[in-house]
Amino acid sequence: MKKADVFEFYRRLAEANPHPETELEYRNPFTLVVAVALSAQATDASVNKATRALFAEVDTPDKMLALGEEGLKHHIKTIGLFNSKAKNVIALSRMLVDEHGGAVPADRAALERLPGVGRKTANVVMNVAFGQETFAVDTHIFRVGNRTGLAKGKTPLAVELTLDKVTPAPFRLHAHHWLILHGRYVCKARRPECWRCPVADLCAYTPKTPGPASA
């Protein structure tokens, strides 16, 4: 995608949604880490449903350790892979208490050392909790980047590095939110809704999906 088209791509997404936010519900950096870790291979809606009661009771690593693994499982048993996720959340809570005084570090390397926290989760936390310009590439962003031609790559890391390179300054902070929401609600996996896409004319995807009336 040409440089001018990249700018216009983001400008239109920004115009449609000036203040994009994560759809995961959280109360502070710790609950954000937990929510993002729980969201792996699960929908944000399913995580929110499980964590509303949890976060009303538990919002610090110390409280999570007091709840314990079995207590946590009771709260998150509706989420896929809840057994392994509960184990990781308890372990990362212990590491936060032992090594960071109970605070969530604003550092990628330190975040990635936490059990159950990979590069994508670290990028989300750095962006949402600490306002850093990071690009958390999930399946939606990977698809949008490759499909549109905005940031092609064979791996999430390749797409992330390309986004970091091509995304203009005015849009860097919120870029990953615009892209994930676009992929979730418009540029869908099985049938992208090209007929209502605000950036369809800038997109490399062909043939464009026809609208319901013409289908």
Side-chain angles (χ1 to χ4, degrees):
M1 191 178 291
K2 296 179 181 178
K3 187 175 181 179
D5 290 342
V6 171
F7 189 95
E8 180 63 12
F9 185 100
Y10 280 116
R11 189 198 68 76
R12 293 184 194 176
L13 295 183
E15 183 178 52
N17 186 3
H19 305 290
E21 297 179 344
T22 178
E23 294 187 324
L24 284 170
E25 297 173 7
Y26 68 100
R27 298 188 171 210
N28 54 30
F30 172 68
T31 54
L32 178 64
V33 171
V34 174
V36 181
L38 294 177
S39 71
Q41 300 181 51
T43 66
D44 287 1
S46 69
V47 173
N48 291 338
K49 185 176 181 180
T51 58
R52 285 184 191 120
L54 172 65
F55 292 161
E57 176 186 344
V58 176
D59 58 2
T60 69
D62 282 315
K63 291 179 181 178
M64 188 65 76
L65 291 174
L67 178 66
E69 188 173 329
E70 291 305 314
L72 177 56
K73 286 180 182 179
H74 175 74
H75 280 280
I76 66 171
K77 60 187 177 182
T78 57
I79 301 175
L81 307 176
F82 73 93
N83 283 310
S84 60
K85 289 178 180 179
K87 183 177 181 178
N88 284 334
V89 168
I90 295 300
L92 72 83
S93 298
R94 171 56 62 192
M95 185 176 288
L96 288 175
V97 169
D98 291 347
E99 299 185 16
H100 301 283
V104 174
D107 175 78
R108 188 202 304 280
L111 285 168
E112 288 189 38
R113 286 189 62 243
L114 298 174
V117 175
R119 186 178 181 91
K120 185 194 77 172
T121 298
N123 279 337
V124 172
V125 174
M126 289 168 64
N127 178 270
V128 176
F130 303 115
Q132 297 188 33
E133 296 175 349
T134 57
F135 303 85
V137 178
D138 69 347
T139 56
H140 296 297
I141 296 179
F142 185 77
R143 178 177 67 256
V144 170
N146 278 286
R147 181 182 277 169
T148 64
L150 174 67
K152 291 187 175 183
K154 293 183 178 180
T155 65
L157 179 59
V159 171
E160 177 190 335
L161 295 177
T162 301
L163 287 173
D164 191 23
K165 180 179 179 180
V166 305
T167 302
F171 309 112
R172 294 178 62 82
L173 181 60
H174 297 307
H176 98 263
H177 282 128
W178 283 314
L179 295 174
I180 192 173
L181 293 172
H182 187 64
R184 185 173 288 164
Y185 297 112
V186 179
C187 195
K188 300 176 181 179
R190 293 188 178 182
R191 191 170 188 266
E193 298 182 0
C194 303
W195 67 89
R196 67 182 190 90
C197 175
V199 293
D201 59 309
L202 304 173
C203 171
Y205 179 72
T206 57
K208 296 292 191 287
T209 308
S214 59

